[in-house]
Amino acid sequence: MRVARTDPTAGASRSARLRAVHPALWAAFAALAAGAVLCVIGWYGISGERFAERQLPYLASCTVPGAALIIAGTVLFTHGRSTLAAARVEELYGLLVAAEPPAAPSPGARHAVATSDDLRMVPGGTLWHRADCPLVAGKPGAVPADATILARGGLDPCPICEPPADPAPER
């Protein structure tokens, strides 16, 4: 099912969408830097004055606006990052929608994941596998399946590689 989107950048390339995010990030960094500078100037001015009534102008003209710019820069930065993440999600969604579904297999045909007749198990596990099963292939902990455990029904066959339901004992 295709979903109609009203996003103006829906057909734009990845680099165009990502470039659209950068102005918000630059504005965020500028606001953070300006806020930090104003706070430093305000602190310096306040620390040079002995009386509170002479410190208030520095507080009102530098420190409070500097703190507001730092908060605004943080909000812009967070919004820019979420916009960047949204652009990446849109790109992934476009790739998923554009991908053609795999051809439907014929009703009786199955693709074999593993074909080995050697059986393996993992000590402490609950399944037995074919030796070339992706779950145990190349794993150093996989050992040859113990025929007595298999005969007792202590392990179930792997649903991925589908080993024989009635395993023959190891030779």
Side-chain angles (χ1 to χ4, degrees):
M1 176 173 87
R2 273 195 104 104
V3 177
R5 294 178 295 207
T6 58
D7 184 14
T9 61
S13 69
R14 177 180 189 255
S15 60
R17 284 194 311 265
L18 295 180
R19 272 194 305 257
V21 173
H22 288 291
L25 292 177
W26 281 114
F29 288 128
L32 286 169
V37 167
L38 282 175
C39 282
V40 168
I41 291 171
W43 173 80
Y44 183 75
I46 288 172
S47 67
E49 296 295 334
R50 181 173 183 187
F51 300 106
E53 60 272 2
R54 294 184 132 184
Q55 294 174 352
L56 285 178
Y58 292 107
L59 184 66
S61 65
C62 292
T63 307
V64 172
L69 278 174
I70 289 174
I71 292 170
T74 304
V75 169
L76 283 172
F77 183 73
T78 304
H79 175 71
R81 297 284 297 186
S82 65
T83 305
L84 180 63
R88 289 180 178 162
V89 167
E90 277 295 317
E91 179 185 5
L92 287 174
Y93 176 76
L95 290 172
L96 286 173
V97 170
E100 293 183 21
S106 59
R110 293 204 53 174
H111 176 68
V113 173
T115 57
S116 174
D117 289 331
D118 295 332
L119 300 177
R120 298 278 184 260
M121 64 180 239
V122 177
T126 59
L127 303 174
W128 84 79
H129 309 267
R130 293 179 186 266
D132 54 348
C133 177
L135 297 177
V136 296
K139 303 264 190 305
V143 297
D146 185 3
T148 57
I149 295 175
L150 296 178
R152 268 190 296 157
L155 297 175
D156 295 322
C158 172
I160 307 274
C161 64
E162 298 176 343
D166 188 20
E170 290 281 323
R171 292 171 263 226

